[in-house]
Amino acid sequence: MPDSLTIAEGRKLDIQKIRKDFPILETTVYGHPLVYLDNAATTQKPKAVLKAMDDYYVTINSNVHRGVHHLSQVATDAYEAGRKKIAAYINSRHTHEVIFTRGTTESINLVAACFGKKFLAAGDYILVSAMEHHSNIVPWQMIAEEKAAKVRVIPIDEKGELILDNLEKLLEGVKIVAFNYVSNALGTINPAKTIIDAAHRQGIPVLLDAAQAVQHLTVDVQDLDVDFLAFSSHKLYGPTGLGVLYGKEEWLNKLPPYQGGGEMIKTVSFEKTTYNDLPYKFEAGTPDMAGAIGLGAAIDYVQQLGIEQIHAAEHELMVYALDTLAGIDGLRLIGATDARHRAGVVSFLVGNIHPFDLGELLDKQGIAVRTGHHCAQPIMDRYCIPGTVRASMAVYTTPEEIDRLAAGIRKAAKLLG
Ligand SMILES: *Cc1c(COP(=O)(O)O)cnc(C)c1O
């Protein structure tokens, strides 16, 4: 038995206590206690989040910003309190720089469409990286096609890290840069500040896809000086169907609205419609009130534990996971071997076993992992592999679960090998 005890002792967070906040973790699958290692796809939700959303519907449900009546005002206050918590969590200068969307995907589509409409012309470049989620590739390809602009790609090396030696050259002719802080397929933590600073030296704005960062690291939009930042509630212990777009006030004011409808307008007539102020200019239609309240509760939960404590505990677990997996015959880790450059995710292959077959046999042992290209097909092409098995962790993941994963892989490899 490896040194999981030492890890437990070194931890400031009481993981067993935290696990009690997530009732779903008591599920059994095919007679085995569930080992949930698909957190990069979506995290589980603590009871506090479920309760906040239930309380909303039970006690104050009402449409926001519209009614003079009491419930509508209480609901509006609760919804806006959610926005304030998010603004504080990412340290945005103004609360109105936080826009609610349906998710990271919609946040990026919003920026691609609105920025592209106003600022892209034929021959311009958009710079993305080779390790992007499809959500941070396809919206740029769509607007590039519309504007006859082009998408250029920052390459990655064998270790799964961005090759930035020629960054100055890659930035030539570029109008916007978009890349992920942490890769969902490899777990690589990218040097966000270095890239943002280099882009800014040439006056180029940057969108950071923080979908895999906000749950693992401190993300401070002022410190990063990033122009746009996108993430999803459901990967940060919050409800599904809600996302966040942060944008610097000056940029959000410069962009045209995304969708038209209620809430995003000041006045409407058939001659001329005037648009609402931030953040409402980008929030057409009735928003996800319960979602915003749920995400606010998720952020309270994370803040209570402390994102730095979470990071420290997860880092220790990552060291343990990399070490444990390295001891498995034929296991090939994809991406960085240094835990300091990784967050949340380990991606690997075992011998010649197809990732799907391995994933299926792990499932039979109650271990939930993801297999395939993880919505990042260009990375798989880079390594000439069909996909990987991905095990992804959260604050409630234990060293014992990593041991179960390792034992599960060994058992599956024996059956399939
Ligand atoms: C999950 C994810 C997305 C897409 O998020 P949705 O919640 O599906 O909109 C984009 N980028 C990264 C890095 C992700 O992990």
Side-chain angles (χ1 to χ4, degrees):
M1 176 79 186
D3 57 347
S4 48
L5 263 184
T6 9
I7 290 176
E9 274 162 13
R11 228 178 229 160
K12 289 190 200 85
L13 297 177
D14 183 346
I15 305 297
Q16 288 308 329
K17 184 156 169 278
I18 290 171
R19 288 178 73 83
K20 296 212 167 64
D21 297 330
F22 297 82
I24 203 171
L25 298 176
E26 281 156 35
T27 305
T28 52
V29 175
Y30 305 119
H32 304 280
L34 168 69
V35 174
Y36 184 75
L37 294 173
D38 196 17
N39 293 286
T42 198
T43 56
Q44 301 303 344
K45 325 300 172 198
K47 281 186 276 191
V49 168
L50 307 178
K51 180 168 186 316
M53 295 176 74
D54 197 45
D55 284 352
Y56 166 78
Y57 282 120
V58 171
T59 61
I60 61 170
N61 175 51
S62 188
N63 207 330
V64 292
H65 300 136
R66 292 167 198 212
V68 287
H69 64 83
H70 173 75
L71 271 192
S72 172
Q73 282 169 15
V74 177
T76 302
D77 290 347
Y79 173 68
E80 290 301 330
R83 194 192 310 274
K84 283 199 192 90
K85 286 175 191 175
I86 295 155
Y89 186 60
I90 59 172
N91 193 31
S92 73
R93 192 183 306 271
H94 306 292
T95 305
H96 60 249
E97 293 174 315
V98 171
I99 313 287
F100 285 120
T101 63
R102 282 194 303 122
T104 307
T105 303
E106 191 178 55
S107 297
I108 298 171
N109 272 277
L110 188 162
V111 177
C114 300
F115 182 91
K117 190 171 173 186
K118 189 142 172 202
F119 294 104
L120 286 179
D124 287 342
Y125 282 93
I126 299 151
L127 185 63
V128 300
S129 94
M131 66 169 87
E132 295 313 309
H133 189 283
H134 296 161
S135 291
N136 203 21
I137 300 174
V138 183
W140 300 110
Q141 288 174 327
M142 287 164 67
I143 191 71
E145 186 172 305
E146 205 178 309
K147 294 286 178 170
K150 291 179 204 140
V151 176
R152 190 184 281 153
V153 183
I154 307 173
I156 59 174
D157 63 18
E158 191 59 31
K159 284 189 308 190
E161 287 170 18
L162 297 176
I163 302 172
L164 297 171
D165 303 345
N166 294 323
L167 186 55
E168 301 295 318
K169 193 142 177 45
L170 286 169
L171 286 166
E172 277 171 24
V174 168
K175 287 288 150 68
I176 187 163
V177 181
F179 66 99
N180 59 35
Y181 201 163
V182 175
S183 157
N184 69 298
L186 302 177
T188 314
I189 304 173
N190 288 313
K193 192 134 177 63
T194 307
I195 300 171
I196 293 164
D197 288 349
H200 283 177
R201 278 197 294 279
Q202 308 202 24
I204 306 164
V206 177
L207 176 143
L208 195 58
D209 172 352
Q212 298 293 343
V214 284
Q215 64 280 57
H216 300 302
L217 317 169
T218 303
V219 173
D220 180 329
V221 291
Q222 290 191 67
D223 180 54
L224 288 166
D225 195 25
V226 72
D227 303 280
F228 301 102
L229 181 116
F231 65 92
S232 297
S233 156
H234 71 98
K235 294 175 179 174
L236 178 60
Y237 309 104
T240 54
L242 185 83
V244 169
L245 171 67
Y246 158 83
K248 277 185 189 163
E249 181 182 48
E250 50 167 316
W251 273 113
L252 292 176
N253 278 331
K254 272 190 257 187
L255 299 189
Y258 183 46
Q259 295 176 328
E263 193 65 33
M264 55 75 72
I265 49 82
K266 262 199 181 121
T267 61
V268 176
S269 74
F270 284 108
E271 288 69 47
K272 183 163 175 61
T273 289
T274 56
Y275 303 129
N276 206 339
D277 299 326
L278 295 175
Y280 311 112
K281 175 177 137 186
F282 292 104
E283 293 181 357
T286 298
D288 182 358
M289 287 88 81
I293 290 161
L295 177 57
I299 285 175
D300 283 344
Y301 184 82
V302 166
Q303 301 266 55
Q304 236 174 317
L305 299 177
I307 187 69
E308 265 151 40
Q309 277 75 3
I310 292 174
H311 179 67
E314 288 182 347
H315 172 73
E316 226 169 317
L317 191 69
M318 177 62 78
V319 171
Y320 182 65
L322 292 178
D323 201 48
T324 305
L325 294 181
I328 297 175
D329 273 350
L331 187 138
R332 174 186 170 202
L333 188 77
I334 309 294
T337 47
D338 184 340
R340 283 172 305 175
H341 299 165
R342 265 183 189 269
V345 169
V346 284
S347 238
F348 56 87
L349 288 168
V350 180
N352 293 322
I353 300 169
H354 195 281
F356 182 80
D357 295 336
L358 183 51
E360 227 179 5
L361 283 188
L362 289 173
D363 178 52
K364 293 289 180 294
Q365 304 174 64
I367 304 163
V369 295
R370 181 147 294 221
T371 65
H373 55 60
H374 317 299
C375 300
Q377 238 170 321
I379 299 190
M380 305 307 146
D381 296 344
R382 164 69 181 72
Y383 287 100
C384 304
I385 52 179
T388 70
V389 179
R390 179 184 76 181
S392 52
M393 304 162 223
V395 64
Y396 41 69
T397 307
T398 65
E400 291 72 23
E401 288 182 303
I402 301 298
D403 292 344
R404 285 255 328 261
L405 171 68
I409 295 169
R410 286 200 172 93
K411 188 169 173 189
K414 212 178 257 170
L415 286 168
L416 293 165

